[in-house]
Every structure is written in structure tokens, then in C-alpha cells.
Amino acid sequence: MKKFNIRKVLDGLTAASSSSSATAQPGTPRENDVVLETLQSEHFQLCKTVRHGFPYQPSSMAFDPVQKILAIGTQTGALRLFGRAGVECYCQHESGAAVIQLQFLINEGALVSALTDDSIHLWNLRQKIPAILHSLKFNRERITYCHLPFQSKWLYIGSERGNIHIVNVESFTLSGYVIMWNKAIELSTKTHPGPVVHISDNPMDEGKLLIGFECGVVVLWDLKCKKADYRYNYDEAIHSVAWHHEGKQFVCSHSDGTLTTWNVRVPAKPAHIITPHGKQPKDGKKPEPCKPILKVEYKTTRAGDPFMVLSGGLSYDTVGRRACLTVVHGKSTTVLEMDYPIVDFLTLCETPYPNDFQEPYAVVVLLEKDLVVIDLGQTGYPIFESPYPLSIHESPVTCCEYFADCPSELIPALYSVGSRQKRQGFSKKEWPISGGNWGQGTQSYPEIIITGHADGSIKFWDASALMLQVLYKLKTAKVFERARGKEEKPTADIVDEDPFAIQTLSWCPESRMLCVAGVSAHVIVYRFSKQDITTEVVELLEVRMQCDFNGVDSPVLGGEQTSALPTPAASCSPQESESPFQPSTGSNSSDGPRDNIPCLQVRSSPLKQSPGYQVELVIQLVWVSGEPPQQITSLAVNSSYGLVVFGNCNGLAVVDYLQKTLLLNLGTSELYSPSDPCQRQPRSPRKPRQPSGGELHYTAVSSFSRSLPYPNLQQNCSWRSLTPAGFCDASDGVNNSEERCKSPTSGSPSPCNSDDERKQNFIEKVKVKGRRFSKTVASDFGTVCFPFPVTDAKDNAFTRSRSSSVTSIDRESREAISSFYFCESFPRKSDSLLSPCLLVGTSQGSVMMLALSLPPGGDQRLQQPLSFASCGTLVRLKGGILTMGLLDATGILLPPSYEQWYDPNASDEEKEKSRRRRPPSPPSSQEGQEAQFAVVCSEKQAKVVAMPSQTCIHKHNITETSFVLRADVVQVAGAYCITCFCANGHIMTLSLPSLRPLLDVNYLPLTDMRIARTFCFSNLGQALYLTSPTEIQRITYSQETCDNLQEMLSELFTPVETPEAPNRGFFKGLFGGGAQSLDREDLFGETTAGKASRSLAQHIPGPGSMEGMKGAASGVVGDLARARIALDERGQKLGELEERTAAMMASAESFSKHAHDVRV
């Protein structure tokens, strides 16, 4: 019987309805009959793959010394596990509560986590995606400390009440054995000792448990006799305790910066009291108190002095000093300063046995924003070079791009130039956290991630095979002068902090051309070279971009409508671009308005450029008549044409980076042809404005406040135009220096005066990405992200409708350029020849086309100018344009033409060979070219337009209640589709060209504008976004990748023999001087200790259940695992039997009571 597939039936119905929506017009080819679409719903599935970067807000840490795996818990309930380079794993507690403490079951492939919601969880690490096997939720006690002895299955749990409970980690059941606080302390004590802050067993006697209470009391508890052997009292609160391996001494760290050393059998007073960082008075008095020593570890060596490692304890007079880690070795005391506050640290030792010489070799220091590993075996304690990608947040990420299936030679080339940038002075030893194994996936295509940062740096990352490694770092700020003081700041600097932050970037992998736009309205063009050069003078081009609009508030404007596209400028000099049409400013100061001044000053001294990306051209927008330049919203570079095009809310500019000239500088409205039906004209009584004649610069006076110090937080033009006078106050765009730096990535709310201002600021930050949101999505955005309305009642007409009936001259002047696409197509309906074109998308949903006329290649290309012709509007959509593409008649994507990379600094001979530039697809002389399909996606819709007829053959409304944040035309399973990420969290894919919905998954609601700024799709079903200020989350929407994910992921657990226990020696074995073992099963088991109260804690079976453990029970420890499984199953059955027995006893008791009443 043939298998019935309902998904394919739905695909067919959707395709039929989509095709029927477009009626073929005369002269329009039946493209939907020609293109055979192969993509089906079965090709798509959404799932997370890996997470890279530093764990955000870390709270705890643990290390398995045998498996050599490091675990880090966070304040959001996340777990990150690290092994060797490329071995990483991420998992999450459902509750999201902070992780207090982590405890490995050493060499067992399991981990215990304790959370602030008073729950403990057992994680199975023997599977590639760890899962929770058991959970235990305490109801009446707050968990403060946990301790799991090596090779023990009994977990000690200390509580806020001072009690200690014991849990069997195999069955996750409580023992009836409880150490009550009132029995542990002296009966004469009248006050509660406080929470339990430390638990550990004597290294030489497992039957003796050391309990530390916050008040300063330490108790040595005899587990067998159930009484306190010794009690140690000190005046200051305790933070941590550490044993000497012989079990005769222990060290306590206190809140006054002191360390007390106690002999186990002398509880009266400490053997030693030291204040490592305290000043010792000469008169013998007690040293001045210092800051608390938060943690101390005491590790011994066989051939030398012991190590004492501690954090905190600095003197109070060291104000402003950074956090320090102190290493005391013999008579030497070394203070190591850290860049961030210390969260936790662990000393790595050669043996897992606590009763042997520890032989420490490294210290892992977990900082708030970094992970440092210190080599204890080398002089000066150098740090190890980290193999993990933990420096993503070195400067906050402001933009992100993802490229899959790049040219194979790219990664080696970037690594070659990046390897010269590595720091020196690292330890020469291998990275000590070396557990786990790499995945065995078959995917081998090159993947590159590019991140732009707030300090102006750009990082290239190798993201192949689910790994992440930094390849190369580019510092764009080197191009500009750095002000050394406030008095040296240029008068035109409108950015107080992070003036070099990256706004958006455009990269051509084939030609290796890179173009970046910054928040100070600057664009830098880079070429890639393997040789270093010294640039005597950095090429600079200054551009005036402004809007001519004097009469925003005036009801009447004279003049006639602009009639045609102006002729390209012959010169780009700011002085020559001045014209009598330039408006006068209404905000003159005593020194006159700022004019022709860029925001940043390009360095005047020679610039030494290392191998890698080297500056080709710097383009800066300048102040115009006292108005600051507007932020750049879109950017594109084409190496085949030698052009860079960028736009903002004023218009667009085209620059020839080969000739270093400005070719075109147009206002958005001047892109429309005079007969364009989409041309927005002002309504009566306002008249069309005066044409600018041959002047290229589309000019207008903005009512924008000049006191705004940060252009990338200014109000977008399309939003400012909601009402003629509805511009934001200067305070809306002002943040403190930290907020300016972090807001693009952290999502922290800016200080605002009202809910409306906070909402408007959040929306504006989302738009900083460069793909501008139109007013169409305003009300939708408010619905998704804010409980309050988006605009005032008088502005609702503008957000509800895009019809010409509500068009205003204010809206017309504020239409921003949102996207570009270089292609070779048919510029006009009557054309039958292909020619180079530029598609221009706007925030109002218009797509215009410019035809390019290129000179011949070779030397003529460097001498003759390029020309442009406006072809009017191609198509109109709801919402701002996000992405565009061009398909051939078979549905294959036609990417923008490019030239192959050549080294610009190579020898003349090599340069001459490589400079034979590939012609930019000259127009063909043949008539009757095959049809093409223009693909356009906006914030609301997607359309496919047949070329050259310019007929819309397919249309799909993506969302009505939300809006699209990111859209791309990508390749999946050998075919092309549109992928969309919406603000309501949905990820969707649409087939091409029919726009059939193939995938619609509610994945990730927009809760932070960081996601909107950094979410990006790539070919072959890959995507990523910045899930926190320090972490990148990669996902896949490809069924093939999901099917192979298990093979591609790394393995955390590998079978390793546990080291042999230390030899007790003949005399110790004869006279009983060695370690004393304890039969904990006999002591804590139900037979001896009884059953714990059921109301104390609730057992919750984990989603990993028994199946995960059964599947992992293999290898050297398989028999042990299977035995534990059987024991657990037996425990579950006994538990069920116990519950039934209890119910029968209750029923019998009730029956007996009723019988007694009847008898009486």
C-alpha cells in the first residue's frame, strides 16, 4: 500500500493557490510552468546546534580531574561544559534558576547541579546532548552547600537552617540520616550558627565530617557515633575551609582577611593566624582588617613547599585595585591581578585522591567575563593560551554576518595573516582541560562568521564543523586620529564614546573586498594583501548628504516637481558641491554653523599596514549647515564594477573606489521617475518643492536636535516623520558611556522619562542594525514587545495605512534606503539585452532600478567615468525592503558579479597578470534572452516579479500581526528559498519562485534587540544570533543537518581508567596509620537510617529517564552502570510498593477506628 503523506498534499494545495493568485499577462512567460521546484517541507527542520562564547553571568565551576572536563554554571541556569579545543556543550535547566554549585561524579560521566530554587539535578554526560536523569526539589530547606566525596554515591547537602541531609545519587532518594544543627554545636550556644558554608570529609578518615557554619564555628562530626568530636570557634565569619592531605590540619578563610590554621586535635585555638595582605603593626597588635578571603585552597607537593591559593583579602586602602588571586608558595607570595572580578577558582591536581600529595599544576580562574588558566609549574606563573572562542565579547558585538560554503582558500589565507597577531608570553605547556573527543560529522564546507564590535574592530571566525576559532582581527580605528584629551576632541565629534563602532558591513568572499560602515557616518573600503605596506596618505573622500526641506511646518511650498534623474557629478569636492539651493540654517551660533566637517579626523601621519586587510579608501559624510550626518542604513560593494554604494534616510551615494570619485549623490525621491505611479506627491494645500536643477545633492533642513551626541541612537527619519513636529528630545538618544557601548548587545533599557520614550529608544536601537523598520510595523512592534501603544492617536493613520491618501510631504522626505543589490538584468520592460543594474530598496517598500553604463576594462576603466540612468520603480511592497535577489529561468540564484582576488601589493609582473580583470558581464548582443525572476522580501510581504515584463507573478503575505526582522535568499538541499525571522519569533521559509510556505516554527520571540541586530541566515540551512552579550547560538533549519547532528557533536565522556589509589605502605597498613574507609551504605541506607520525611523533598524523574543511562552503559564501566540501573529500577519498584503499603495501612487504621466507634 502506498504511503500517504499529508504534508505533500498541503504543499500541492499551497502551490496551486499561490500560482492561481497571479494571472499571466500578454508577453509574460509562464515561468511557473518552467521552473521545477524540488524543495519540500521534508527538507526543513529547526533545531539548535551549538553555542559558542563565554558563559554569560557565570556563578559556579567544577572540574573532573580524570576525564579533564570543566563545567561552568550560570545565573540563568545554563550549563557549559568544555574539553579539548572544539569540545563544547551547552544545556539548560528548565527553571532558569541560578546554579549554586556543581559536583562531578569523577570518571563516572555524571554531574550534580544545585540551584537557587533548592533543587538538585543529576546530569548524564555519557550522551552527546546531556540530559537530566533525576531531580530532587527541597520544600522546607534552602540549599547552601553540597559535597560529594570521591568514589562515593552519597551526597551531603547543607542548608540555610544549618542542617545536613544526605542523598543517594543513584536513586536520588533522601537518607533518613540527618545531622541537625542543634546537635552539632555546643548546647550552651544560645544563637543559631547560621547556614552551612562548608562540608568535607577528613582525607584520612571518611567517618569524620568537617562542617563549617557561617558564624565561625567548625565542627568535626563523627558519622558512626552521631556526635561532634571537636568544635572550633573563631570570632569572624567563615567563607571556606581546606584540608591538608594528611588530615591533621585544615585552613579556614575569614571575613576579616585572615587565615586560621587548626590542628584537628587542638580545638582550643588556631595553630596559626595570618593576614596575607594586612599591614603588620610593630607593637605586636592585631593587623588591620582586610577584605574577606572568599576562598582558599591548600595543596601539597611531594618534593617541595605546599601551595596556598586564595582570592580576596586585599587591604581596604587599595581602592580601585582590580581583583587579585594570591599564590603563596613557601616564603614567596605572588599577587596576580585579574581584568574582572573573580567568581570562583579551582586548583588542578595530578591525583583525584584527597589523601595523597596533590601535586598542583594549574589554577583555573573563573572571572565575570573571562576564563584564565594559570601555570603553577613555571616561574612567574604565566597563563595558558585558551583554545576556546571566549573573546567574542572582548568589545560588545554590534553586527554579525554568516557565510557558509566559502571559497576553500579563504580560511587558510585569513589564518596565515591572523597568526602573526597572536600575543606572546603564554605558557609553553599544553592546555590542561583536554577531555572529550571531536564529532565525526561529514559536513566539511568552509564557514566564516564576521563580527563587528563597538571599538571598531572586526573579527573573522572559522565556524566550520560546528567549531569556532578566531582567524583574524582588523582594527578600523587605526585609520583615524585618537583624541588624547577632552580639549583635543574635534568640534564635530558627535559621539562621546565608541565613535568607531561598526554599524554594518559588506563582504565579497571571492574578491575579498571588505566595506564597513561606522556609527560616525563613515565608510572604509579594504583590500586583502599578503604583504605589509606603509601608506603615506590615506585616501579620503568627503560626501555631503542632506535633505532639502525648509518648509516642514509651512502649509505651502512653491516650485515644481523634480522631473528626472540628475546628471552624475563631475566632482566630489565638498566645496564644489555647494550650490545656491543649499538652505540656510536657523541655528547659527557665534562661530557659525558647522559645515563640511566630518565626525572623525583621518590620521595625517603615515599608516603602517600589516598583511591582511588594508585601507583602500575612507568615505566620510560631513556636517551640512549645522546638521550632523545621518547614520548609514545600507551598504553594498561590488568588486566587478569597482563600486561602493551606501544610503541613509537622506538618500544614496555611489562611489567608484578605483577612481576614488563620487559618482552619484541622490535623494530618495529623486530616484522616482516623473511618471512613476509610486511617486509620492504632497497633498494639497502643500505644493511640490522646487527642483534642484543639475544639483546632485538632495537637500533638506532637518528639525533634528543638534545636542544628540550619538548618531546611531538618533531617531530614524521614517519615525521622526510621524508628525511634522513630532521629533524626539535630545534625551531620547543620550545614554551613559557604558550604555552606548553595550546597548546594541546587552539590551539594557536606556534611561527614559516615560514609557513612550523607553519604547521608542528600544525600537530605535533595533533599527541601528542597518535594515530599517518602516512605520508600517510600528503598531505591530508595540503589540509584540510593549503593552502600550506605539504612537499617539493623531499618528495612528500613518501606522495603519500605506495608501496614498495618508501620504505626507514629511513622510516623503524621510524615506530611507534600506537595501541594495547589484545584478545584470533588464532595466526596462522593453529591453531584451542584459545590462548591469542596481536595485535599491527603501523603508517605504519601493524597489527602484538604476541602470549602470560601464567603460571598457583595463586602463580605460580607470580613466573614463561611469554613468547611471534611473529606470523608475520595479515593484512596491508593504513594509521596508529587507532583501532582494535575482533568479534565472530555471530558478537558480544569479549572484552579483565579482572579480577574482589578486594581491594589490604583488610584483608588477604578477599584478599585471592578475589585473586582467574579468569583464563585468558585458551586455549580450543576442535577442530574446531567457526570462528572469526578481525576488523581493519586505517586513510584511514577499513578491516574485518576472523580468523584463516586470509583472508580479507570485505574492505572499508573510505576517499581518508582526513584521520580519531578517530575510535572505539562501540555498538549501540544492535549491533556493527565502528564509525569514519575524519579531514574533517565527522562522519561516518560502519556496522560489512560487513562494510556497515550507517551514513555519515559533522559535524565539523578540525579547531583546540584540537578537534583532545579530540574527542572520546563511546557505545550507545555517543561522545564528547573539543569545547573550557574550555568546553566539547557532541553529539549523536543514533536515539533513538535524539528521547528522548526533554524529557532528563532540563527545564529553571517554572511557578512562581511574588512577590507582595511593599505596598505604607497610607500616601504615600494619599499625593502622593509613586512610580509614567507611561503609556509607550500611550507615546511610534505609535499613539503618530509616526513611526520610516525604514532605522534605520531592523526587522528579528527569527527561533523560532510564533509557539514556541504558544506552550509555557501555565500555569499561558498563557493568557498573548496568548494576546501578538495576538498583535504580529496583528502588523505583520498592518505592511504589512502599506507597501501596502506606495506603493499605492508612485504610486499615481508618477501618479500625470506625470499628471501634461502632463497638462503643
Side-chain angles (χ1 to χ4, degrees):
M1 182 177 177
K2 187 176 179 180
K3 187 176 180 181
F4 179 75
N5 193 325
I6 186 64
R7 296 173 73 180
K8 291 185 177 180
V9 173
L10 292 175
D11 286 344
L13 292 174
T14 309
S17 62
S18 178
S19 300
S20 62
S21 63
T23 58
Q25 296 185 6
T28 302
R30 297 292 300 273
E31 291 87 349
N32 55 322
D33 295 338
V34 177
V35 178
L36 178 63
E37 296 185 6
T38 58
L39 285 181
Q40 302 294 333
S41 299
E42 290 80 4
H43 291 108
F44 297 91
Q45 182 181 345
L46 191 69
C47 68
K48 294 181 180 180
T49 52
V50 290
R51 180 172 293 196
H52 303 294
F54 181 77
Y56 183 56
Q57 296 181 334
S59 58
S60 58
M61 179 172 58
F63 182 70
D64 188 326
V66 179
Q67 288 288 319
K68 296 191 182 301
I69 294 292
L70 181 74
I72 297 177
T74 73
Q75 296 180 23
T76 57
L79 277 182
R80 295 287 302 279
L81 297 111
F82 298 91
R84 66 178 63 189
V87 176
E88 297 182 43
C89 184
Y90 159 77
C91 36
Q92 175 73 41
H93 294 90
E94 288 187 5
S95 66
V99 180
I100 301 173
Q101 200 173 350
L102 297 171
Q103 290 275 309
F104 272 104
L105 277 68
I106 296 176
N107 204 28
E108 293 288 340
L111 176 73
V112 174
S113 58
L115 310 186
T116 53
D117 64 354
D118 307 313
S119 63
I120 57 173
H121 308 270
L122 178 65
W123 290 86
N124 176 24
L125 306 183
R126 292 172 179 255
Q127 54 196 63
K128 291 194 172 184
I129 302 178
I132 293 177
L133 294 174
H134 300 283
S135 298
L136 197 64
K137 180 74 167 62
F138 282 78
N139 300 321
R140 298 181 300 182
E141 298 267 16
R142 302 298 308 270
I143 298 175
T144 56
Y145 195 87
C146 299
H147 172 62
L148 181 65
F150 178 48
Q151 294 183 327
S152 170
K153 67 176 184 180
W154 297 97
L155 174 70
Y156 301 103
I157 298 179
S159 71
E160 193 175 46
R161 294 184 179 181
N163 304 324
I164 293 179
H165 302 276
I166 302 171
V167 175
N168 185 325
V169 294
E170 291 181 342
S171 61
F172 247 54
T173 55
L174 275 171
S175 167
Y177 192 111
V178 181
I179 303 175
M180 305 299 292
W181 68 271
N182 54 354
K183 294 183 179 180
I185 64 173
E186 296 186 61
L187 297 177
S188 59
T189 304
K190 297 182 180 179
T191 57
H192 191 279
V196 175
V197 296
H198 178 82
I199 306 172
S200 62
D201 48 350
N202 189 314
M204 286 295 180
D205 189 351
E206 296 176 349
K208 302 298 174 65
L209 196 67
L210 196 69
I211 307 169
F213 295 95
E214 188 181 56
C215 68
V217 175
V218 179
V219 176
L220 187 65
W221 182 264
D222 189 322
L223 291 170
K224 290 183 179 179
C225 300
K226 299 183 180 181
K227 66 180 184 67
D229 281 355
Y230 301 101
R231 297 180 177 90
Y232 314 86
N233 293 280
Y234 193 71
D235 295 337
E236 298 293 335
I238 289 177
H239 284 276
S240 68
V241 182
W243 278 101
H244 187 281
H245 83 275
E246 293 180 347
K248 297 178 181 179
Q249 284 187 333
F250 61 89
V251 179
C252 300
S253 68
H254 298 276
S255 58
D256 63 345
T258 60
L259 294 173
T260 57
T261 303
W262 299 81
N263 291 325
V264 171
R265 299 182 180 276
V266 185
K269 64 177 183 177
H272 303 286
I273 301 177
I274 60 172
T275 307
H277 297 285
K279 296 179 180 179
Q280 300 293 337
K282 295 181 180 180
D283 53 5
K285 293 183 180 180
K286 188 177 180 180
E288 295 181 2
C290 296
K291 297 176 182 178
I293 297 178
L294 302 177
K295 186 176 182 178
V296 62
E297 290 199 347
Y298 190 35
K299 304 298 180 182
T300 56
T301 59
R302 199 177 301 272
D305 295 320
F307 283 87
M308 190 177 293
V309 186
L310 55 102
S311 64
L314 296 178
S315 174
Y316 279 105
D317 59 7
T318 56
V319 179
R321 189 173 179 179
R322 294 186 294 182
C324 294
L325 187 80
T326 305
V327 180
V328 181
H329 185 216
K331 296 181 179 180
S332 168
T333 300
T334 305
V335 179
L336 305 173
E337 285 193 344
M338 302 294 161
D339 292 334
Y340 305 100
I342 298 174
V343 176
D344 195 4
F345 73 88
L346 293 170
T347 307
L348 308 187
C349 302
E350 296 288 352
T351 176
Y353 294 93
N355 58 355
D356 194 10
F357 287 97
Q358 301 299 290
E359 303 293 346
Y361 59 89
V363 179
V364 181
V365 187
L366 179 62
L367 308 176
E368 281 189 0
K369 295 183 180 181
D370 201 2
L371 181 71
V372 177
V373 181
I374 301 167
D375 185 357
L376 294 179
Q378 292 189 30
T379 306
Y381 305 132
I383 65 172
F384 290 88
E385 184 178 10
S386 175
Y388 308 137
L390 302 182
S391 61
I392 292 173
H393 64 289
E394 185 177 18
S395 175
V397 177
T398 55
C399 70
C400 192
E401 294 295 337
Y402 190 8
F403 301 87
D405 203 13
C406 300
S408 57
E409 69 276 4
L410 252 183
I411 290 178
L414 289 167
Y415 179 81
S416 175
V417 296
S419 60
R420 308 181 191 185
Q421 300 176 331
K422 290 188 176 180
R423 290 167 43 193
Q424 304 297 321
F426 290 109
S427 171
K428 298 179 181 178
K429 297 181 182 178
E430 294 292 328
W431 181 253
I433 305 168
S434 56
N437 285 321
W438 295 323
Q440 304 297 323
T442 56
Q443 284 187 230
S444 58
Y445 50 82
E447 298 175 77
I448 293 178
I449 296 172
I450 304 179
T451 54
H453 299 264
D455 63 353
S457 62
I458 296 174
K459 292 182 181 179
F460 292 78
W461 305 82
D462 178 7
S464 308
L466 296 186
M467 298 185 185
L468 193 67
Q469 180 183 11
V470 66
L471 292 172
Y472 172 71
K473 181 179 178 180
L474 172 66
K475 297 180 179 179
T476 64
K478 288 184 176 180
V479 180
F480 303 100
E481 299 282 2
R482 285 184 177 270
R484 293 187 175 89
K486 291 184 179 180
E487 66 281 355
E488 296 184 30
K489 283 193 175 182
T491 56
D493 191 354
I494 56 176
V495 181
D496 290 339
E497 299 289 339
D498 302 317
F500 313 111
I502 304 300
Q503 180 98 350
T504 185
L505 59 89
S506 176
W507 187 51
C508 177
E510 289 79 11
S511 65
R512 305 184 190 177
M513 289 296 302
L514 174 67
C515 192
V516 300
V519 296
S520 296
H522 63 274
V523 175
I524 310 177
V525 183
Y526 287 93
R527 282 187 185 273
F528 186 86
S529 175
K530 294 183 178 180
Q531 302 180 24
D532 57 347
I533 61 169
T534 299
T535 305
E536 296 297 330
V537 179
V538 177
E539 295 280 359
L540 173 63
L541 193 64
E542 294 183 349
V543 180
R544 293 171 64 93
M545 292 183 71
Q546 60 179 129
C547 295
D548 183 12
F549 199 72
N550 289 324
V552 171
D553 298 323
S554 173
V556 178
L557 286 176
E560 297 177 357
Q561 184 179 343
T562 301
S563 60
L565 181 67
T567 307
S571 171
C572 60
S573 170
Q575 287 78 12
E576 293 179 16
S577 63
E578 302 261 346
S579 74
F581 299 100
Q582 180 177 325
S584 59
T585 179
S587 57
N588 294 330
S589 61
S590 58
D591 299 330
R594 297 172 183 168
D595 196 44
N596 289 336
I597 303 174
C599 299
L600 300 175
Q601 183 179 354
V602 175
R603 63 182 298 165
S604 55
S605 58
L607 175 63
K608 185 177 180 180
Q609 304 196 68
S610 303
Y613 276 101
Q614 298 169 351
V615 179
E616 175 82 1
L617 177 65
V618 177
I619 308 166
Q620 290 185 286
L621 301 186
V622 296
W623 287 66
V624 179
S625 302
E627 294 296 329
Q630 298 299 309
Q631 60 184 344
I632 294 169
T633 59
S634 52
L635 177 70
V637 62
N638 186 280
S639 58
S640 181
Y641 307 153
L643 299 179
V644 169
V645 57
F646 56 91
N648 60 14
C649 60
N650 292 340
L652 67 85
V654 181
V655 172
D656 184 340
Y657 65 78
L658 298 177
Q659 299 183 20
K660 311 294 190 295
T661 56
L662 176 65
L663 300 176
L664 200 64
N665 187 356
L666 287 178
T668 310
S669 66
E670 293 176 296
L671 291 170
Y672 294 95
S673 64
S675 59
D676 198 331
C678 295
Q679 169 79 32
R680 285 173 302 285
Q681 300 179 7
R683 291 179 297 145
S684 177
R686 299 182 179 181
K687 297 181 180 180
R689 57 191 181 88
Q690 181 72 25
S692 57
E695 172 62 23
L696 284 176
H697 306 287
Y698 175 43
T699 56
V701 172
S702 166
S703 299
F704 189 59
S705 172
R706 294 181 188 82
S707 60
L708 285 173
Y710 200 32
N712 91 319
L713 294 183
Q714 294 173 2
Q715 288 286 342
N716 183 357
C717 292
S718 63
W719 280 89
R720 294 212 313 269
S721 62
L722 288 177
T723 58
F727 302 147
C728 66
D729 295 332
S731 61
D732 287 346
V734 178
N735 288 324
N736 56 48
S737 61
E738 182 180 1
E739 190 63 26
R740 287 193 194 93
C741 173
K742 294 185 179 179
S743 61
T745 55
S746 64
S748 303
S750 305
C752 298
N753 299 328
S754 68
D755 286 344
D756 287 338
E757 292 179 8
R758 184 164 57 252
K759 171 266 304 176
Q760 198 77 327
N761 274 346
F762 183 84
I763 296 175
E764 192 58 41
K765 292 175 188 175
V766 177
K767 295 188 290 186
V768 167
K769 167 70 179 172
R771 290 174 169 80
R772 315 296 292 181
F773 292 160
S774 66
K775 294 192 294 295
T776 306
V777 304
S779 58
D780 297 338
F781 193 89
T783 304
V784 173
C785 301
F786 298 94
F788 39 79
V790 175
T791 57
D792 296 335
K794 61 182 179 181
D795 297 326
N796 283 343
F798 293 105
T799 62
R800 286 198 305 265
S801 173
R802 303 189 61 109
S803 65
S804 58
S805 61
V806 295
T807 302
S808 70
I809 195 166
D810 200 12
R811 288 178 58 193
E812 177 193 42
S813 65
R814 297 309 197 276
E815 185 171 11
I817 305 297
S818 59
S819 61
F820 296 109
Y821 188 76
F822 285 99
C823 61
E824 293 184 8
S825 186
F826 307 96
R828 299 171 183 84
K829 294 182 181 181
S830 58
D831 289 344
S832 59
L833 301 178
L834 295 174
S835 62
C837 300
L838 174 64
L839 294 178
V840 181
T842 73
S843 60
Q844 299 284 352
S846 295
V847 177
M848 278 83 75
M849 183 175 282
L850 294 177
L852 283 66
S853 177
L854 302 176
D859 294 337
Q860 296 184 52
R861 170 63 183 86
L862 301 177
Q863 298 171 0
Q864 298 182 17
L866 285 75
S867 60
F868 296 79
S870 175
C871 305
T873 302
L874 173 66
V875 69
R876 177 79 180 212
L877 287 78
K878 292 181 181 178
I881 304 300
L882 297 179
T883 190
M884 298 175 286
L886 197 66
L887 306 179
D888 65 10
T890 62
I892 303 299
L893 182 68
L894 298 171
S897 58
Y898 58 86
E899 70 167 2
Q900 294 295 336
W901 172 79
Y902 69 93
D903 196 330
N905 301 322
S907 63
D908 293 340
E909 210 174 295
E910 295 178 1
K911 191 183 295 186
E912 198 56 39
K913 283 183 187 177
S914 55
R915 266 187 177 264
R916 292 176 185 171
R917 311 169 65 84
R918 184 166 69 89
S921 302
S924 173
S925 60
Q926 298 179 1
E927 297 288 337
Q929 292 286 328
E930 290 186 340
Q932 293 180 337
F933 303 98
V935 179
V936 185
C937 185
S938 73
E939 297 162 330
K940 291 286 189 178
Q941 292 179 322
K943 287 185 179 182
V944 175
V945 179
M947 303 292 287
S949 63
Q950 299 187 5
T951 305
C952 178
I953 60 171
H954 296 292
K955 170 185 171 183
H956 180 77
N957 292 324
I958 299 174
T959 176
E960 294 293 342
T961 58
S962 183
F963 58 96
V964 180
L965 290 165
R966 178 74 186 242
D968 286 291
V969 179
V970 298
Q971 183 181 18
V972 180
Y976 292 90
C977 63
I978 296 179
T979 55
C980 305
F981 172 57
C982 295
N984 59 8
H986 284 251
I987 291 179
M988 293 176 281
T989 61
L990 305 173
S991 70
L992 288 176
S994 67
L995 299 180
R996 286 181 298 115
L998 298 174
L999 175 74
D1000 188 352
V1001 178
N1002 188 2
Y1003 171 69
L1004 181 74
L1006 178 62
T1007 55
D1008 199 308
M1009 80 80 201
R1010 180 193 314 108
I1011 300 171
R1013 291 177 55 86
T1014 58
F1015 198 103
C1016 49
F1017 294 100
S1018 183
N1019 286 330
L1020 306 176
Q1022 309 300 323
L1024 64 81
Y1025 59 94
L1026 209 68
T1027 185
S1028 74
T1030 63
E1031 296 169 292
I1032 286 177
Q1033 178 66 57
R1034 293 168 67 179
I1035 62 175
T1036 182
Y1037 50 94
S1038 165
Q1039 179 68 57
E1040 181 183 2
T1041 304
C1042 291
D1043 292 341
N1044 299 327
L1045 186 58
Q1046 281 290 335
E1047 295 180 6
M1048 297 166 62
L1049 293 176
S1050 55
E1051 288 187 81
L1052 291 170
F1053 179 80
T1054 54
V1056 178
E1057 289 285 351
T1058 302
E1060 292 186 5
N1063 190 358
R1064 296 175 62 187
F1066 175 75
F1067 290 103
K1068 286 186 177 180
L1070 183 63
F1071 298 106
Q1076 302 295 318
S1077 60
L1078 174 70
D1079 186 357
R1080 296 187 178 93
E1081 181 69 34
D1082 180 61
L1083 191 61
F1084 303 141
E1086 187 176 321
T1087 305
T1088 306
K1091 294 183 295 184
S1093 171
R1094 294 193 174 195
S1095 60
L1096 181 61
Q1098 176 187 2
H1099 176 261
I1100 305 170
S1105 69
M1106 300 308 302
E1107 295 302 322
M1109 201 66 174
K1110 288 177 181 177
S1114 60
V1116 178
V1117 291
D1119 293 335
L1120 177 61
R1122 280 189 286 271
R1124 291 185 174 179
I1125 293 170
L1127 181 62
D1128 198 353
E1129 291 175 341
R1130 180 173 175 270
Q1132 290 180 355
K1133 293 178 180 177
L1134 289 175
E1136 295 173 359
L1137 179 61
E1138 179 185 4
E1139 291 175 358
R1140 289 197 296 269
T1141 304
M1144 292 176 62
M1145 290 178 64
S1147 176
E1149 184 177 352
S1150 176
F1151 178 81
S1152 174
K1153 181 179 178 181
H1154 286 300
H1156 178 73
D1157 293 341
V1158 170
R1159 185 182 302 175
V1160 173

